[in-house]
């Protein structure tokens, strides 16, 4: 059976909370026939805490907002210069379990960075993607009834000072890096497009560009 297209939405820069609420709405309302979607977005500065995150890992948030959310994982930072790709997928459609989805998303980042001359790797003890021991991409997921939300973030050229205010992903002393810090200047949107393409290749699905915002996000924004 041919895999239906992945609908790729470009959200631009959006506040974190409306996008998160829209993902929840999409998850609550989706059915077996609902197409899979990728939401590409950039957020203003925000710290997010996963369901079981320890507050002690958030050491000095300052004026940056802190939001506790429904994904797995500990604490991370989102901000300008960072690609966030939310993966709203039917895992049964792709015969994936949660562990396989994590591995798949890590491989998407590793393959995309390799094309730009950056050798990266995954670690068995800490989800994400690393370059010489420093984290360049983070993962956080929620899966319910076989459907996923949240996804991955890749540091293209964000300011890294905010990461010094947290134990990134719950690991004290974990170094964080970016493509820019590694000497690679790249357009974030081109990098994001490569992530989408590689994910579609590994899922063996075509992509379909969506010219408008996702309908759940439109509804959330209309309410706010």
């Amino acid at each position: 059976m041919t895999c239906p297209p992945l609908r790729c939405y470009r959200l631009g820069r959006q506040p974190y909370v409306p996008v998160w609420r829209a993902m929840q709405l999409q998850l609550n309302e989706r059915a077996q026939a609902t197409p899979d979607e990728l939401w590409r977005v950039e957020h203003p500065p925000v710290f997010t805490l996963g369901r079981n995150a320890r507050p002690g890992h958030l050491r000095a948030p300052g004026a940056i907002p802190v939001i506790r959310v429904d994904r797995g994982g500990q604490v991370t930072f989102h901000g300008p210069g960072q690609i966030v790709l939310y993966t709203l997928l039917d895992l049964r459609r792709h015969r994936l379990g949660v562990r396989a989805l994590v591995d798949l998303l890590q491989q998407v980042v590793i393959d995309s960075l390799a094309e730009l001359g950056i050798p990266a790797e995954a670690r068995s003890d800490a989800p994400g993607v690393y370059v010489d021991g420093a984290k360049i991409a983070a993962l956080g997921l929620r899966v319910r009834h076989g459907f996923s939300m949240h996804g991955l973030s890749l540091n293209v050229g964000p300011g890294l000072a905010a990461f010094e205010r947290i134990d990134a992903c719950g690991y004290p002393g974990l170094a964080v890096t970016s493509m820019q810090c590694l000497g690679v200047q790249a357009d974030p949107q081109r990098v994001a497009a490569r992530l989408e393409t590689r994910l579609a290749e590994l899922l063996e699905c075509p992509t379909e560009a969506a010219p408008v915002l996702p309908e759940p996000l439109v509804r959330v924004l209309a309410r706010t």
Side-chain angles (χ1 to χ4, degrees):
M1 182 174 65
T2 302
C3 177
L6 288 171
R7 287 187 181 171
C8 298
Y9 289 89
R10 281 74 170 178
L11 278 59
R13 185 176 296 186
Q14 298 283 350
Y16 183 88
V17 170
V19 176
W20 171 39
R21 295 300 186 197
M23 283 193 292
Q24 291 178 317
L25 190 59
Q26 199 264 14
L27 182 68
N28 289 337
E29 295 181 347
R30 73 172 296 164
Q32 295 294 332
T34 303
D36 291 326
E37 298 177 357
L38 304 179
W39 293 8
R40 180 201 305 181
V41 66
E42 182 183 66
H43 291 304
V46 62
F47 292 118
T48 67
L49 297 166
R51 288 191 302 270
N52 300 313
R54 297 179 182 177
H57 290 309
L58 184 68
R59 293 185 280 107
I64 298 176
V66 179
I67 302 169
R68 185 173 286 277
V69 297
D70 53 354
R71 61 163 173 80
Q74 291 286 326
V75 59
T76 195
F77 170 75
H78 296 310
Q82 181 190 73
I83 294 166
V84 182
L85 189 65
Y86 292 125
T87 53
L88 288 76
L89 305 175
D90 180 343
L91 301 191
R92 290 164 295 192
R93 180 178 291 158
H94 304 287
R95 297 181 175 86
L96 291 172
V98 177
R99 181 67 248 181
L101 176 60
V102 170
D103 292 342
L104 177 73
L105 295 180
Q106 291 175 159
Q107 196 62 50
V108 165
V109 175
I110 291 168
D111 293 348
S112 299
L113 290 176
E115 290 191 2
L116 295 167
I118 299 176
E121 62 183 3
R123 284 171 41 175
S124 59
D125 62 327
V129 177
Y130 300 81
V131 178
D132 294 330
K135 195 161 198 171
I136 195 169
L139 273 66
L141 297 166
R142 182 187 181 193
V143 175
R144 194 185 72 180
H145 304 314
F147 301 120
S148 69
M149 60 179 276
H150 296 287
L152 66 87
S153 60
L154 172 62
N155 297 333
V156 178
L160 298 182
F163 287 99
E164 298 174 3
R165 301 184 180 195
I166 63 175
D167 297 328
C169 301
Y171 293 90
L174 178 65
V176 177
T177 191
S178 69
M179 295 173 61
Q180 188 176 67
C181 287
L182 296 169
V184 176
Q185 302 294 329
D187 175 18
Q189 297 311 312
R190 288 181 179 271
V191 177
R194 183 56 203 150
L195 292 174
E196 292 170 349
T197 299
R198 186 58 183 146
L199 178 56
E201 289 171 349
L202 293 177
L203 291 176
E204 299 182 349
C205 293
T207 60
E208 175 183 270
V212 296
L213 292 177
E215 191 271 341
L217 179 58
V218 172
R219 287 157 59 193
V220 170
L221 292 174
R223 290 202 299 263
T224 58

